[in-house]
Amino acid sequence: MPVAPAVSPRTPVDLDRVRSAAVAARVLGPLVAQGAIVRRPRATAWAERRQTDRAAGALLRDLRREHDGAPVVLRLGPRRLVLPLDAGDVGALLAGSPDPFSPATVEKRAALGHFEPDSVLISPTDRRPARRLLNEQALDTSEPVHRDADALLAAVDREAAALLAEVDRTGVLDWPTFAPAFWRTVRTVVLGESARDDHRVTDVLWTLRRAANWAYLHPRRPRLRAELADRLHAYVRRAEPGSLIAHAAAAQRDRGVDPVGQVPQWLFAFDAAGAAVLRALAVAAARPAVRERLRGEARSGSSMQPYARGAVLESVRLWPTTLVVLRDSTAPTTWGRRELPGGTSFAIVSAFAHRDAERLDFADAWSPEAWLDGRADADWGLLPFSGGPVSCPGRNVVLLVAGRLLARLSEADLVLPRGRYLATDPLPATFDHYGARFHVPGRG
Ligand code: HEM
């Protein structure tokens, strides 16, 4: 990662009421409507029809021009929300996390507290280190290929083969066919072979996530949360070889951290990997050259699969799954000539940062190469897995598992009827993965 400034040289600018309302309506509204924790299909379909990320990006670009790149400040009732619009300021926030820029924001605690109150992501700063370390040890954060990759990939290959057989029979691949196979894969990878058909564990989590979308506005569901914890404890005790939870159980012995506090985030976050795979698969279906490169890696059977990893990263860059990256300051921070009080909220709008055509020559183009040659990773403005000390510790596991699934599924002769929008650049700003429906010509 490049070195980011500790504080920004630019002085944040307060937006007037009209501009604040415009940002709330055009930028924040669509993000909230789609659901921060679990996407709402009707809202994502609406967002795609309206290409809401394009309008949001245009407004933020105008504001950046008007204010010479300075962060802009919105008043939302009693609270102040700062939007950094410059990649250097994004870097300052990420590099300065978790202190003074804590990821455990008021909103995130309200939402994630529904199903993972002990997750590192919403932990107080003093509780973070041991929890972060448990995640890093179990997920092999620093290793491109997890030490249990053979077992993890074997699970992916099995489920991909079963899904391809079903697609071959029915002639259709869409979210309703993809999701059950995907969750079987995730349960096996995370919890072990015996969890493959434990729909209940992911259904309970899904129900809690739906409540989490409403943050404070939905009452807590203590009985469901207890059921989730009981089920996860049983898998920790089993610690099936070849599962991620077995590594968490082993790390627990060194760290004294209960993995059950961390594992809901793993299951929840894999959902994003499913969306990323379907979107990348849609690009591959529309672009024969992309499909051929993925097929080549599927045939090689190697666990490195650089192009497939780049394709997953590119899918999350183009259509981010973490819609905003939030931080609350734990102390006063200095931005140019202004000091912002502790407790100020910051929000990085991922799609705006990732599609910044004034800065990136590949902003709206399909460019896995930018990940392969290191350009994208060197850029603080590209944060599909966040950046700095709070970046996603699951990134490499995701790229391993999702990359392999993508490569395997690209072996099918899929056609996406509305794929002509994806065949050439620029790519659409908003892409509803729930709506992707592939056909296999001559089948079904
Ligand atoms: C495509 C899939 C995924 C994406 C795009 C993604 C992205 C992210 C992002 C952006 C953050 C940081 C949020 C912030 O800075 O506030 C994050 C945090 C985290 N992610 Fe992921 N993630 C994915 C999947 C996973 C998976 C599968 C796991 C575990 C197996 C995981 C584990 C975590 C954990 C534990 C954190 C909290 C880190 C901390 O607070 O130190 N993620 N992820």
Side-chain angles (χ1 to χ4, degrees), residues 55-136:
L59 174 59
L60 294 178
R61 260 192 306 283
D62 285 351
L63 289 175
R64 185 170 59 188
R65 244 175 263 136
E66 275 168 37
H67 302 295
D68 221 12
V72 293
V73 186
L74 275 81
R75 301 279 335 190
L76 293 174
R79 303 198 53 212
R80 190 186 266 134
L81 179 67
V82 181
L83 304 185
L85 302 178
D86 173 89
D89 294 342
V90 168
L93 268 184
L94 297 180
S97 302
D99 201 11
F101 301 116
S102 169
T105 65
V106 173
E107 285 76 16
K108 254 190 264 175
R109 278 185 282 132
L112 299 179
H114 278 274
F115 61 92
E116 51 177 38
D118 297 325
S119 166
V120 60
L121 190 53
I122 52 167
S123 294
T125 310
D126 59 327
R127 306 294 298 272
R128 280 187 59 83
R131 292 175 178 175
R132 172 82 197 185
L133 208 55
L134 180 126
N135 277 280
E136 291 188 358

Side-chain angles (χ1 to χ4, degrees), residues 94 103 108 119-122 128 132 135 139 190 244 262 265-267 269-270 272-274 276 312 316 321-322 325-327 383-387 389-395 397-398:
L94 297 180
K108 254 190 264 175
S119 166
V120 60
L121 190 53
I122 52 167
R128 280 187 59 83
R132 172 82 197 185
N135 277 280
L139 301 172
V190 175
L244 294 175
Q262 307 307 312
Q265 167 74 19
W266 303 2
L267 292 169
F270 257 118
V312 173
V316 193
T321 52
T322 306
V325 173
L326 299 172
R327 296 287 182 264
L383 57 151
F385 286 87
S386 188
V390 176
S391 65
C392 177
R395 170 175 161 151
V397 165
V398 170

Side-chain angles (χ1 to χ4, degrees), residues 409-428:
L409 296 183
S410 73
E411 291 179 299
D413 286 318
L414 299 172
V415 174
L416 189 70
R418 59 193 178 122
R420 64 179 184 282
Y421 301 113
L422 301 170
T424 52
D425 302 328
L427 285 161

